[in-house]
Amino acid sequence: MRGQSYDNAANMSGIYTGLQARIKAMNPLAYYVPCAGHSLNLVGTSAASSCLGSVSYSRFLQALYNFFSASTYRWDHLKAALPAEGIVVKSLSETRWSARADAVKAVFLHYLEIKSALENICSDSRQTVATKLEGEGLIRQMEAFETALLTVIWYKILTRFNATSLSLQKVETDLLSVVKLYESLISFVSEMRQGQFDEIEDQARAFAEPVYTETTKRTKKRKHFFDESVGNETQLDPREKFKVDNFYTILDCLRNELEHRVNAYSEIKKLFSFFTEYDSMKYDDLKAQLELVVSTYYSDLEASVLEEFLQFKDILSSESDRSVTNISTLLRSKDGILTTAFPNISILVRIFLTILITNREGERSFSTLSRVKNT
């Protein structure tokens, strides 16, 4: 056994008494790798609850779905307001973040149409007072510039996160690819934080009047105590306040969580990164890393790994696809001629590819079996 992967539940991933720790105590080479899919979900969950504005926006999305799905009359009004291929509002899900991405996408693409459907329902004299009040409350939320901003912000974030999540679930994705995908998300979030707020504001103007809610409120004056020095307190204008309280908070939380998740793969990456980075590595660095690999898997490998790889990388130079998955295919081609020539490289590739990066498919299988059993 050379690897194990579970979700991030403490009873499975705990470093002292979790299942992975117990297995590793019996087999030190059974490296634990957190499920990449679950980890990405946890990153999103943490960011969604990182500030009041984000929590309120999530509730708004769910309230929007609840309102329209409460009756066929409202649902028909919504569908009539949307274009032929339009996306209807979606419900949120705590576990499936693709559902959250779909919910935000529907609002982003059809913001004005959804608002128009709400207005039509509220103007219908046949509707109850409770329905009108609920609809008018949703309209007021959609008229708030902050709601429009959060729609654009979360659409940008979730579009990339959802696409990355789908990539993580592909069979061809290996652990080094997971690290690169996570690092690319960190780069995306950092760039978004540095200079995209003006662009986000421009997009949000198409949905709502660019007036921040705080501009309509009176500035609060705080009472000072007798032993407190009275000075000019920093007062942020509403735009800056939104950036600090929401925009920066969400993105900083995403970055911190992503960096934390990437660190979980650092031990494995330290062993196998030479597969994709050998071109940029100096000989001494490559030698040191392969010596570390041999000392780690001393019962599986011979000391001649370095010489094997120095020869093997010349063969790789003619390959356009240098992923570990393709290396495995290359070694097994032509009746395994290369496997005979490079036995230690073949063993290393097999060890690497047997280390799970996600257990989503297994969980889905169990869920399906449960449904079949209950029918």
Side-chain angles (χ1 to χ4, degrees):
M1 186 175 182
R2 292 295 179 264
Q4 49 180 326
S5 178
Y6 316 107
D7 59 22
N8 290 268
N11 62 332
M12 306 298 284
S13 63
I15 60 174
Y16 298 112
T17 58
L19 178 61
Q20 67 93 7
R22 294 177 184 273
I23 291 177
K24 200 167 182 181
M26 294 184 287
N27 182 359
L29 295 181
Y31 286 103
Y32 165 64
V33 177
C35 173
H38 283 103
S39 294
L40 197 60
N41 277 351
L42 290 175
V43 170
T45 301
S46 179
S49 58
S50 62
C51 62
L52 181 61
S54 187
V55 173
S56 298
Y57 183 71
S58 296
R59 291 180 179 178
F60 159 73
L61 290 175
Q62 188 61 47
L64 205 59
Y65 173 79
N66 292 344
F67 179 81
F68 282 111
S69 63
S71 75
T72 54
Y73 170 81
R74 299 179 198 175
W75 197 258
D76 289 341
H77 260 283
L78 173 64
K79 292 179 72 174
L82 298 176
E85 301 298 324
I87 304 173
V88 295
V89 292
K90 306 289 184 181
S91 178
L92 301 183
S93 172
E94 290 297 326
T95 55
R96 292 182 64 251
W97 268 74
S98 59
R100 190 173 292 259
D102 293 338
V104 174
K105 182 179 180 180
V107 176
F108 177 82
L109 294 179
H110 307 298
Y111 198 96
L112 298 179
E113 290 89 343
I114 293 170
K115 183 183 171 188
S116 175
L118 288 169
E119 290 170 344
N120 290 337
I121 293 171
C122 291
S123 63
D124 189 343
S125 59
R126 294 171 296 177
Q127 298 302 302
T128 63
V129 174
T131 297
K132 290 182 178 181
L133 286 174
E134 187 179 355
E136 288 168 359
L138 291 170
I139 291 171
R140 282 194 296 272
Q141 282 185 274
M142 296 192 78
E143 288 175 343
F145 192 50
E146 288 84 352
T147 302
L149 285 167
L150 286 167
T151 298
V152 178
I153 291 168
W154 276 112
Y155 177 73
K156 283 176 171 287
I157 292 170
L158 290 176
T159 298
R160 297 314 319 144
F161 269 64
N162 192 42
T164 302
S165 179
L166 293 174
S167 295
L168 291 174
Q169 297 175 55
K170 289 188 175 181
V171 177
E172 301 83 7
T173 305
D174 57 46
L175 193 138
L176 295 178
S177 299
V178 169
V179 174
K180 288 182 178 179
L181 285 169
Y182 269 71
E183 289 174 344
S184 68
L185 280 177
I186 292 172
S187 177
F188 165 75
V189 169
S190 299
E191 289 180 7
M192 186 174 174
R193 187 190 192 281
Q194 287 174 5
Q196 291 191 24
F197 189 75
D198 291 343
E199 180 185 333
I200 289 169
E201 266 191 325
D202 290 339
Q203 288 182 274
R205 285 189 178 94
F207 301 147
E209 192 71 24
V211 178
Y212 288 87
T213 306
E214 290 293 329
T215 58
T216 62
K217 294 183 179 180
R218 182 170 61 87
T219 304
K220 293 181 180 179
K221 292 184 178 180
R222 187 173 64 84
K223 180 181 178 181
H224 294 88
F225 293 94
F226 71 94
D227 59 344
E228 186 178 1
S229 59
V230 180
N232 293 327
E233 295 184 359
T234 303
Q235 294 288 338
L236 296 175
D237 65 73
R239 182 177 184 271
E240 289 300 316
K241 191 173 187 305
F242 178 86
K243 287 175 69 175
V244 171
D245 292 348
N246 295 279
F247 183 66
Y248 290 153
T249 302
I250 292 169
L251 295 179
D252 287 345
C253 181
L254 285 172
R255 182 185 173 92
N256 292 338
E257 286 292 322
L258 285 168
E259 288 175 345
H260 172 67
R261 303 299 169 184
V262 167
N263 289 336
Y265 305 106
S266 59
E267 191 173 6
I268 296 293
K269 183 187 177 185
K270 186 168 64 176
L271 288 172
F272 294 100
S273 60
F274 70 91
F275 272 127
T276 56
E277 298 175 3
Y278 64 87
D279 270 344
S280 59
M281 296 176 70
K282 295 179 180 178
Y283 172 78
D284 290 341
D285 295 333
L286 180 61
K287 179 182 178 182
Q289 187 167 357
L290 287 172
E291 286 176 349
L292 175 64
V293 171
V294 172
S295 64
T296 301
Y297 297 105
Y298 60 89
S299 61
D300 300 316
L301 303 171
E302 298 173 352
S304 59
V305 172
L306 175 62
E307 289 73 22
E308 274 190 32
F309 191 75
L310 289 174
Q311 181 185 353
F312 185 68
K313 74 174 187 175
D314 185 65
I315 296 174
L316 283 180
S317 62
S318 60
E319 294 291 317
S320 57
D321 182 2
R322 300 185 185 182
S323 65
V324 183
T325 304
N326 187 60
I327 292 174
S328 175
T329 304
L330 182 65
L331 287 166
R332 289 183 283 107
S333 63
K334 298 179 182 179
D335 298 325
I337 294 174
L338 292 179
T339 300
T340 304
F342 305 101
N344 289 291
I345 300 301
S346 179
I347 291 170
L348 261 181
V349 168
R350 277 183 283 161
I351 290 174
F352 177 77
L353 292 179
T354 55
I355 299 174
L356 293 173
I357 61 167
T358 179
N359 52 45
R360 279 182 168 184
E361 288 298 325
E363 289 197 357
R364 287 198 188 104
S365 299
F366 281 115
S367 298
T368 302
L369 286 172
S370 177
R371 289 198 298 271
V372 171
K373 181 180 178 181
N374 293 329
T375 55

